[in-house]
Amino acid sequence: MRPLVFLSCCLLTTDLLAAGKEIEGERAAAKTNCPTPEEARAKMTVPEGYEVRCFAHEPMVQNPVAMTWDHRGRLWVVEAYEYPEGSKHPAPFGGEAKDDQYHPMPGRSGQIPRDRVVILEDTDNNGEADKRTVFVEGLNLASGILCGDNGIYIGQQPHLLHFRDDNGDDKPDAWRVVLTGFGREDTHELLNSFCWGPDGWLYMTHGVFTNSKVRRPGQPESEGFKFDAGIGRARPLTGAFLPRDGERAKNGPDTAPPWEFEVFADGTSNPWGCDYDAAGNFFVSACVIDHFFHMAPGGIYVRQGGAPENPYAYEQLPSIVKHKHFRAAYAGVQIYQGGRYPADTHGHAFIGNIHDNAIHEEILTPVGTTFKCEPRRDFLRANDGWFRPVSTQTGPDGFLWIMDWCDKYPCYQNAKANPEGVDRERGRIWRVVHTGARTPSSAKTNASKADKSVRAPLDLKKLSTADLVKTLEHPNNWMRRMARRMLVEQHAEGTRETLLEISKSDAPVSVRLEAIWTLSTINSQDYRAIEWLAKNDPSPVLKAWAARLFGEGGHVGHGWLDELAANPDPSVRLAVSIAVRQKREVHLTSDRARPSLDSMGRSNGPTILETKLLKAGVDPDDKVLPLAIWMAIEPVLADRAKPWLDWLADIATTTQPLSRVLSHKAMRRLCDTRKAENLDLAVEFCDKIAEHDILLAHALDGLVKGQEGGVIKPVKEVSASLAKWRTSSNAEVRKHAQTLAVMWGDAAAVKEMIAVLHDGSKPEKERITVLQSLQKVRTDAVKAGLMPLLTPQTSTALAVAASRAAADLGGDDFIAPLLQQSASKDFNMRNSAIEALSNRDTWTKALLNAISEQKVSASGFPAPVRRALATHKDKAIRDLAYKVLGAWQDSSDDVKSLIAQKKQACLTGEPDLANGKLLFTATCMVCHEFHGGGQKVGPDLIGSGRSNLDALLANVIDPNQIIGNGYENISV
């Protein structure tokens, strides 16, 4: 006889990615054939006075995923043919990185990965590319590109690579691994969107579900920086990247300085695109969650998943949008500063929307130290489902350039389901020019042959130092940024003095800012301009950057930083806070060489600077500045708690509401040191501020939150303080004091809380909160107080919480009431009791015996518990589970992968409820009952774990995983 599987739970939705089924909703394919470039251009709509023109299209460019320009204004493009799976052939530039020195280019042998970098040129200056040069090939999942230092930087997991072209023949002469450790778990969230920042660092973005540990080649992974969402940045450890001529001659042509890396700002989801405005503020576009963020240095922002590396912020900053566009996949962002569009677009954000086949224009308005973003218009609508904008950048001509992946499918889920379904032949580069005139209808069908908007041929590398400095005044930010980069790389004699003169001159703020950015990149130790600006310049932007650059370098503090801490402009105070944090992080955690510690290092207490920062206050709606101030204080408060708490207690009552935030977080941070003596200091602090009820309530709330990781009690007797707080006139103070008293084992408080727990007139939510507090006490009195809740009369939510508390507290007295709960007809109550009983071997055997004696039903047994029993270390339990529950087999790797894909689709996709009901009726209800309908061949699906997505997916996709007794077919 051979057992045949009976499908106890049919496919609820069927496999939406199965062959022959088109994906609907968010990942639906374009419904039309791909239009030709000219047809696509004719369909596009832009505001009056603008016109779309095609710079390049297939076969000149295919699968474009990243682009940049060189000093000659030539466009460099990464063509990604290996997306999404990556090549099975060994990459010439992959493998383990053993050093960061240059190596000769390898000879081509056998099959290599297909990703490549091409250079596109417009040699006749008519606005269309007419020359294509392959610079390098053999890359695997390349995803980022940036020109610089006689070559290009390429992001190709797991490395950041540099290819050097010494003789300018458009062929690389050597290559090196600059940094390594970039992950590839999710191949649409690789490192991307490279740009040179105003401070000379190489900036990049990175997605949340790809896990990187970024480090220098040869370093162990344990020394790497965790990077799994947000903006990262990298730079050489010593000066500008290229050694000077004398150094190169002395050290040899392949000597290169090591690079450092750090996370600039943490959070968001899968940011693909970053840019900065005229004041150096960074912005990113994101997917799935809110689509646009301002990212302040050191900021910790909301995430699609996971947790930030630094756990001591105790909050995550929000996005700057309240509106939503069509669906949720965005790529490419540009803060327009090109000087060619009308003035009413300057400083606006232009963001690509892959699902909506559009470019959105949004208005940025300063709010305190951050911004709010509001929609203005759809700047470009393709009106074509094949248009996939993955990068939007300002070009050498001052117009927006848009890189179009051009694919039938919008999403990586499509590619994961059918990698060969990805288009391998198309790609387009569009320019949106401003003509200032009404576009005639004929222009929509015939590309302009004489494109007068294209700039004359240029080569910034051939410009003199004086001309490059003059270019820092150019109205197109592309020209300014490229001139700045050329000055950094050339570092000609006298450049620093010229830039210093400009920074102190009466030139426009934008020009002086460019000068100080360039000067600080050439030599981050030159503080002459920084100090002069901080003391003398009235511009908040320049003062802010003076403070920022102070923090970037290794200079020991000056008194003028104290003056900046009290500046009325919040952006200046934000920069001071960031600078203080940067220096303290270096002193306390980094191995980077720095001068001896000053008052910002391991000081005995706060300085005038911190006092001025707090007294200056913050806007109540500004979340960024309070977090920055807290992050500046946090390292030293944890290290030298007493003087900092004394200072905070003295000043806190005069600096509300900022002091409420700091008091709350300070108490949490003391708890997180896990040092009981710091709890004594915390109680002492609360006693000092006890006359100020609101402030005390925030502090006590911080102490309560700090116990969530495990109760930690003060060393000293604190019953007198607790009694005083518990009788406060402030309800919040009383509530938090009562909770603390229970956690710290105050017998009277425990008795009072148990009375509240049993009081049926109290709201259920309040009783559950009380239960969760009591659960941490772990005394016999608490266990006895819990027992009456494990009855059928208890409400579902409270009974579930009681079962979990019993599992945590332990004790065989709980077995009988939990068995009673596990026989409940309430699905949630039953499952929570079964999960509790599976936590201890004695309890588990009692549960399985009860099932054997038919006191508890085996039907609908929770899959996670069944999996745990099938893999239990105790063979007796495994055998008993098989006997009373039936066969178990783990899902295959393919099925697990499919379940993971479906879960992502469920979390991010758009449901079609009508079609789902139709499929459910046709495929599931032919065997199963559901709300009175269907057939009785299989078990009723009511109570089968429909509220648990993981259980539902497992039952739907892998119904053979659990074959309950009585549901096996036997063929003879």
Side-chain angles (χ1 to χ4, degrees), residues 112-132:
I112 59 174
R114 297 169 293 171
D115 290 357
R116 63 175 69 106
V117 174
V118 299
I119 310 169
L120 303 181
E121 296 181 67
D122 174 14
T123 61
D124 58 6
N125 203 31
N126 73 342
E128 298 178 7
D130 50 40
K131 181 181 179 182
R132 166 188 167 100

Side-chain angles (χ1 to χ4, degrees), residues 526-839:
D526 191 337
Y527 290 92
R528 293 173 296 169
I530 294 174
E531 188 167 0
W532 190 92
L533 291 170
K535 289 181 177 179
N536 304 294
D537 201 290
S539 166
V541 173
L542 290 169
K543 285 186 180 294
W545 270 98
R548 277 276 303 278
L549 293 172
F550 166 81
E552 297 280 340
H555 197 53
V556 175
H558 277 306
W560 49 260
L561 200 60
D562 295 345
E563 296 179 21
L564 295 182
N567 192 281
D569 191 287
S571 66
V572 178
R573 301 201 302 279
L574 174 65
V576 172
S577 304
I578 292 166
V580 174
R581 174 70 182 192
Q582 284 174 315
K583 297 189 73 60
R584 283 180 175 149
E585 283 189 321
V586 166
H587 291 322
L588 298 177
T589 65
S590 177
D591 60 354
R592 284 187 278 170
R594 295 296 192 208
S596 60
L597 304 186
D598 61 349
S599 62
M600 291 187 183
R602 294 183 182 274
S603 65
N604 288 325
T607 65
I608 297 174
L609 185 151
E610 286 88 2
T611 301
K612 287 187 174 182
L613 271 178
L614 260 67
K615 285 189 173 180
V618 297
D619 186 312
D621 295 327
D622 188 345
K623 294 182 178 297
V624 176
L625 181 53
L627 178 62
I629 293 173
W630 162 248
M631 298 302 281
I633 294 172
E634 177 269 320
V636 282
L637 182 139
D639 190 61
R640 293 281 192 275
K642 180 158 178 49
W644 285 86
L645 287 177
D646 289 344
W647 165 78
L648 185 58
D650 290 340
I651 199 172
T653 56
T654 62
T655 59
Q656 299 190 51
L658 178 58
S659 58
R660 300 173 191 169
V661 175
L662 297 181
S663 297
H664 173 90
K665 293 186 176 185
M667 297 300 97
R668 292 190 67 174
R669 187 65 185 92
L670 290 181
C671 293
D672 281 343
T673 65
R674 311 312 294 167
K675 296 178 179 178
E677 59 270 25
N678 279 344
L679 269 292
D680 293 337
L681 297 176
V683 172
E684 181 182 321
F685 171 81
C686 290
D687 280 334
K688 287 183 179 179
I689 62 171
E691 294 181 3
H692 304 273
D693 288 349
I694 297 176
L695 190 58
L696 176 60
H698 281 77
L700 292 179
D701 183 44
L703 278 177
V704 171
K705 294 283 197 308
Q707 307 293 310
E708 291 176 354
V711 174
I712 177 170
K713 302 177 182 179
V715 178
K716 297 178 181 178
E717 175 59 46
V718 295
S719 57
S721 297
L722 289 170
K724 180 180 177 182
W725 303 336
R726 287 172 60 206
T727 57
S728 169
S729 60
N730 184 287
E732 287 295 301
V733 171
R734 294 197 306 273
K735 181 181 75 172
H736 296 317
Q738 181 77 353
T739 302
L740 280 174
V742 170
M743 289 179 177
W744 291 344
D746 185 276
V750 169
K751 186 176 180 180
E752 290 177 20
M753 293 282 266
I754 291 175
V756 173
L757 182 64
H758 294 161
D759 187 348
S761 66
K762 298 291 185 183
E764 182 180 71
K765 186 176 180 180
E766 180 183 342
R767 296 172 71 191
I768 291 174
T769 301
V770 167
L771 173 58
Q772 291 167 344
S773 298
L774 287 170
Q775 184 177 332
K776 300 173 183 177
V777 179
R778 316 185 78 83
T779 64
D780 290 339
V782 170
K783 292 180 180 180
L786 177 61
M787 199 70 70
L789 298 183
L790 296 172
T791 65
Q793 291 72 38
T794 304
S795 65
T796 298
L798 187 56
V800 168
S803 293
R804 291 171 179 166
D808 183 41
L809 293 170
D812 289 350
D813 289 344
F814 286 126
I815 293 177
L818 284 172
L819 285 175
Q820 184 182 23
Q821 298 290 75
S822 64
S824 171
K825 293 182 179 180
D826 184 298
F827 169 77
N828 291 306
M829 195 180 294
R830 176 178 183 272
N831 264 22
S832 64
I834 290 174
E835 288 168 359
L837 286 164
S838 67
N839 273 331

Side-chain angles (χ1 to χ4, degrees), residues 261-272:
F261 174 87
E262 67 181 30
V263 176
F264 175 77
D266 180 290
T268 77
S269 56
N270 178 22
W272 196 284

Side-chain angles (χ1 to χ4, degrees), residues 827-878:
F827 169 77
N828 291 306
M829 195 180 294
R830 176 178 183 272
N831 264 22
S832 64
I834 290 174
E835 288 168 359
L837 286 164
S838 67
N839 273 331
R840 290 171 168 78
D841 290 358
T842 303
W843 293 18
T844 301
K845 291 176 181 177
L847 171 64
L848 293 174
N849 286 328
I851 294 173
S852 177
E853 296 166 4
Q854 298 186 348
K855 296 177 181 177
V856 174
S857 173
S859 176
F861 201 82
V865 178
R866 183 66 187 89
R867 180 184 297 108
L869 296 179
T871 57
H872 201 282
K873 62 182 180 180
D874 188 328
K875 185 177 183 300
I877 290 178
R878 293 199 305 271

